[in-house]
């Protein structure tokens, strides 16, 4: 294990904070310690473990423990049950059977407010199909920001479940390793949409062009477009970045956070290249549920030469975008007929049918 001297103090400090949290989680009852102790968590969340001179988020990643995975699945138990996928023959099924078991696979879809969809999606796929999805997320999650009002431990779950800082190199390396990769092209713009503009809840904010199609074709990766809805049934956005810039104290915090985290799209001349980093102000609602719809996998095998042509690659890119939009539109309509859309009916159903029972949803 290598630890550079100049990085030792912040690393040990973070490790100590996680250890204190872990000890408080255990409590005073020694009988609970065996189940509650998970020393792997503080090591993983501080990137303390490494095989070489610097930590590699791909090769140095440690899979979640049984305790960590169970804890996350339990947290999401009443949120995620409406999952649909598409088989090779186009048949829509109420399961994840349509997801390819063999990699490389690239999942491309919509990113809900505050990224609530990421962890629930990763754990659901791992639970049902034993597929470990590596999510590509903003590098700020991995930064040890000093003097920040945001508790950086809120990002721990993204690290534990296999998050990787998004970059072209990360996509290339993961697909080369035949991994299942989760890519959100809308990024920050989708997770912090504007409350003042109607219809932004499920609008895709994607770049005009993307290189992921040609990278996927190099490794003959399958592309799975997907849509997810439900965050608007969990919370209501009341304070977006535009609103926060109108309040002097919050304006300074937004500007500092944006500067500290850096801009990963600084070369993009559209609005995607000029995004504020902030924590949107939300208020809770009567909790609904998340609905996921995975489209039919799109093959790139044998198309590497064809997709080297920019126009052909753009056609496939627009096809993927269209498929995601169609999945979103379908779910927004169908959830209206779900009798168990909100929390109370779901709790009553499980109270009468058993807490491990699957909660029904809308008819296909």
């Amino acid at each position: 294990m290598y630890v550079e001297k100049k990085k030792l103090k912040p690393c040990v400090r973070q490790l100590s904070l996680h250890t204190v949290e872990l000890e408080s989680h255990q409590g005073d009852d020694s009988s609970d310690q065996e189940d509650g102790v998970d020393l792997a968590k503080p090591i993983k969340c501080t990137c303390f473990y490494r095989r070489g001179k610097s930590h590699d988020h791909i090769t140095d990643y440690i899979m979640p423990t049984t305790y960590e995975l169970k804890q996350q699945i339990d947290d999401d138990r009443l949120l995620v049950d409406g999952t649909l996928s598409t088989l090779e023959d186009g048949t829509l099924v109420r399961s994840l059977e349509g997801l390819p078991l063999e990699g490389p696979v690239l999942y491309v879809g919509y990113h809900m407010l505050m990224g609530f969809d990421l962890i629930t999606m990763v754990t659901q796929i791992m639970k049902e199909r034993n597929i470990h999805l590596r999510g590509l997320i903003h590098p700020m999650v991995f930064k040890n920001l000093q003097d920040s009002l945001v508790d950086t431990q809120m990002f721990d779950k993204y690290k534990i479940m296999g998050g990787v800082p998004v970059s072209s190199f990360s996509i290339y390396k993961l697909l080369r390793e035949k991994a299942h990769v989760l890519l959100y092209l809308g990024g920050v713009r989708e997770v912090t949409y504007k409350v003042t503009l109607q219809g932004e809840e499920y609008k895709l904010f994607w770049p005009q062009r993307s290189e992921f199609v040609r990278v996927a074709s190099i490794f003959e990766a399958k592309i799975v477009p997907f849509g997810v809805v439900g965050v608007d049934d969990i919370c209501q956005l009341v304070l977006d970045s535009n609103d926060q810039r109108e309040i002097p104290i919050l304006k300074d915090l937004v500007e500092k956070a944006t500067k500290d985290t850096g801009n990963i799209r600084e070369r993009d001349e559209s609005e995607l290249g000029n995004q504020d980093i902030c924590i949107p102000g939300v208020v809770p609602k009567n909790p609904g549920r998340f609905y996921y719809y995975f489209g039919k996998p799109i093959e790139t095998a044998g198309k590497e030469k064809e997709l080297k042509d920019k126009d052909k690659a753009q056609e496939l890119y627009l096809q993927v975008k269209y498929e995601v939009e169609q999945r979103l539109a379908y779910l927004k309509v169908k959830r209206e007929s779900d009798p168990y859309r909100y929390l109370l009916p779901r709790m009553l159903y499980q109270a009468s049918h058993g807490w491990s029972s699957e909660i029904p949803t809308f008819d296909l």
Side-chain angles (χ1 to χ4, degrees):
M1 180 187 294
Y2 294 83
V3 182
E4 296 181 43
K5 290 183 178 180
K6 64 180 180 180
K7 295 181 179 179
L8 182 60
K9 289 184 178 179
C11 194
V12 171
R13 177 178 174 274
Q14 260 194 303
L15 184 61
S16 299
L17 289 174
H18 280 276
T19 303
V20 169
E21 180 191 32
L22 179 62
E23 289 174 349
S24 63
H25 170 72
Q26 293 171 20
D28 297 329
D29 188 350
S30 60
S31 63
D32 293 336
Q33 288 186 8
E34 184 175 348
D35 292 333
V37 173
D38 186 4
L39 293 178
K41 180 179 178 180
I43 294 174
K44 289 186 287 188
C45 293
T46 55
C47 301
F48 200 76
Y49 170 77
R50 60 191 65 168
R51 293 189 176 105
K53 186 176 180 181
S54 60
H55 179 81
D56 187 307
H57 293 282
I58 298 175
T59 59
D60 290 337
Y61 174 66
I62 303 173
M63 288 287 288
T65 64
T66 302
Y67 173 77
E68 290 167 343
L69 183 57
K70 182 180 182 301
Q71 187 178 45
Q72 193 60 53
I73 291 175
D74 289 345
D75 289 345
D76 301 332
R77 180 169 51 85
L78 289 175
L79 274 181
V80 184
D81 275 304
T83 53
L84 309 173
S85 66
T86 312
L87 303 180
E88 292 286 347
D89 62 2
T91 303
L92 180 62
V93 294
R94 198 183 303 282
S95 69
L96 297 177
E97 185 182 350
L99 302 187
L101 289 175
E102 300 295 328
V105 182
L106 187 62
Y107 296 75
V108 184
Y110 172 75
H111 211 7
M112 289 200 298
L113 176 67
M114 298 180 72
F116 285 137
D117 54 296
L118 195 157
I119 298 300
T120 54
M121 177 176 170
V122 172
T123 54
Q124 189 75 1
I125 291 177
M126 187 179 292
K127 172 188 175 183
E128 194 171 322
R129 296 287 280 170
N130 197 29
I131 294 172
H132 186 211
L133 203 56
R134 302 299 303 273
L136 293 162
I137 55 183
H138 199 288
M140 68 178 174
V141 170
F142 302 91
K143 290 189 176 183
N144 180 26
L145 300 177
Q146 301 296 325
D147 303 322
S148 174
L149 293 181
V150 177
D151 183 2
T152 55
Q153 292 184 43
M154 67 183 290
F155 299 132
D156 285 354
K157 58 185 178 181
Y158 299 104
K159 302 172 187 176
I160 290 172
M161 297 310 298
V164 178
V166 63
S167 70
S168 298
F169 178 72
S170 294
I171 299 175
Y172 185 94
K173 190 172 181 180
L174 285 166
L175 292 179
R176 186 182 63 188
E177 298 293 324
K178 299 187 182 299
H180 291 249
V181 185
L182 174 58
L183 174 63
Y184 293 109
L185 292 169
V188 171
R189 183 62 180 88
E190 286 181 356
V191 301
T192 59
Y193 64 77
K194 305 296 187 290
V195 67
T196 51
L197 302 178
Q198 293 295 323
E200 284 210 345
E201 296 93 329
Y202 295 110
K203 180 179 178 180
L204 300 186
F205 291 94
W206 289 13
Q208 292 297 315
R209 292 180 177 271
S210 177
E211 293 300 313
F212 81 85
V213 170
R214 287 194 282 179
V215 175
S217 68
I218 293 174
F219 300 102
E220 299 187 339
K222 294 180 180 180
I223 300 174
V224 178
F226 71 90
V228 53
V229 303
V231 71
D232 53 333
D233 281 341
I234 303 296
C235 59
Q236 176 70 45
L237 177 63
V238 295
L239 202 66
D240 62 27
S241 60
N242 288 345
D243 297 324
Q244 293 183 36
R245 280 190 170 275
E246 297 297 321
I247 303 173
I249 296 178
L250 295 182
K251 177 183 177 181
D252 293 340
L253 293 176
V254 170
E255 291 179 349
K256 183 179 186 305
T258 303
K259 180 181 178 181
D260 289 344
T261 55
N263 188 351
I264 62 176
R265 281 178 165 166
E266 58 184 355
R267 296 182 181 180
D268 193 327
E269 296 181 358
S270 70
E271 62 173 325
L272 295 178
N274 184 28
Q275 291 301 306
D276 290 330
I277 302 297
C278 69
I279 302 297
V282 299
V283 293
K285 297 174 65 176
N286 178 20
R289 68 198 300 192
F290 294 163
Y291 305 86
Y292 291 88
Y293 182 1
F294 298 90
K296 180 181 177 180
I298 300 172
E299 296 280 356
T300 64
K303 298 181 180 179
E304 182 181 356
K305 290 184 178 180
E306 176 185 347
L307 293 175
K308 282 183 178 179
D309 181 276
K310 289 186 177 181
D311 292 335
K312 293 293 183 182
Q314 183 68 4
E315 287 180 13
L316 183 53
Y317 173 59
L318 293 177
Q319 178 189 347
V320 173
K321 184 177 181 182
Y322 173 78
E323 292 291 337
V324 173
E325 291 173 333
Q326 290 299 104
R327 307 286 85 75
L328 290 172
Y330 177 90
L331 292 174
K332 286 170 65 178
V333 172
K334 296 297 287 186
R335 69 172 174 174
E336 298 293 335
S337 61
D338 181 5
Y340 301 99
R341 179 175 174 178
Y342 297 106
L343 182 61
L344 182 58
R346 294 200 302 276
M347 294 185 68
L348 292 175
Y349 181 91
Q350 288 201 320
S352 59
H353 292 78
W355 292 107
S356 62
S357 59
E358 181 179 347
I359 306 172
T361 182
F362 54 75
D363 294 329
L364 298 181

